[in-house]
Amino acid sequence: HLKKALEFSWKKRGPHGLLLGLAADWNDCLNLKGQGESIWSTFLYYLGLTEFIKLAAYLERTADADHFRAYCKEIKDRINEYAWDGQWFLRGYLDSGKKLGGQESEQSKIFINSQAWAVIAGVADRERLVQAMDSLKALLATEHGIVKNYPAYQEHIAEVGAITDFPPGLKENAAIFCHANTWAVI
């Protein structure tokens, strides 16, 4: 079952070799349909690959470990090429190919999920991971907790999705989610 799940996700990658968002990833208010890619899902997939490889090695299933090691290397290369935005990790790519959660984004430029999960999954070198968390602290941390994205969306953007329809600070649009905050703690 684990191998089938890893193979399914491998076959569902977009133009940058990152996982497609499909109907939704963790945040179903983001529109990642079509060729939209979820960097958060890609980080989760990378972590799943590394854990599977450890399990396969423990069970002495060398062929399985080697097979998925190749996937792991490819995904990590794609992450380091396409997910880093200079100071933090992108949240994804929209169907049009526009970056989501990057310095070039029309509105919201950084998301908590990408920074925390990059560290949890260990997808990059320490310097880059520390920089991502420093950016999270500088841009997302408030006295009440870490907001999901910054700055909050102010205008509707159909391509981005329903997240842009909520008032700033409500629900998925720059609110504080306790469980997302625990990822940053981890």
Side-chain angles (χ1 to χ4, degrees), residues 2-163:
L2 292 175
K3 288 177 8 179
K4 284 184 178 185
L6 293 173
E7 292 292 354
F8 173 85
S9 293
W10 181 256
K11 292 174 185 166
K12 300 292 183 184
R13 294 181 303 135
H16 300 97
L18 306 167
L19 269 64
L20 292 171
L22 303 175
D25 65 5
W26 176 83
N27 187 342
D28 58 0
C29 289
L30 289 174
N31 180 5
L32 297 172
K33 295 178 182 170
Q35 292 298 299
E37 293 168 298
S38 168
I39 289 172
W40 177 81
S41 292
T42 305
F43 292 163
L44 185 61
Y45 182 64
Y46 178 82
L47 180 60
L49 286 168
T50 60
E51 292 298 314
F52 180 86
I53 291 164
K54 289 178 200 173
L55 179 61
Y58 176 78
L59 296 173
E60 298 180 359
R61 296 180 70 148
T62 307
D64 287 339
D66 290 345
H67 176 76
F68 288 105
R69 229 179 247 114
Y71 286 14
C72 200
K73 182 189 180 316
E74 172 75 17
I75 288 292
K76 189 171 187 176
D77 289 347
R78 296 297 183 140
I79 286 168
N80 282 291
E81 185 173 354
Y82 297 111
W84 182 247
D85 198 47
Q87 299 293 312
W88 57 79
F89 289 95
L90 300 170
R91 181 61 174 82
Y93 285 90
L94 300 170
D95 187 42
S96 67
K98 287 183 184 176
K99 293 177 181 177
L100 177 64
Q103 295 177 58
E104 299 170 11
S105 296
E106 293 177 42
Q107 294 183 54
S108 200
K109 299 185 180 296
I110 183 173
F111 286 73
I112 186 175
N113 296 44
S114 302
Q115 313 331 305
W117 275 91
V119 175
I120 292 168
V123 299
D125 62 46
R126 180 172 172 74
E127 182 179 311
R128 195 171 269 189
L129 297 175
V130 168
Q131 176 60 55
M133 292 305 287
D134 286 348
S135 294
L136 179 150
K137 183 178 180 185
L139 299 170
L140 299 171
T142 73
E143 65 180 301
H144 303 291
I146 302 166
V147 296
K148 291 184 60 201
N149 53 290
Y150 175 85
Y153 286 100
Q154 301 291 327
E155 299 172 12
H156 173 73
I157 305 172
E159 184 180 26
V160 174
I163 186 175

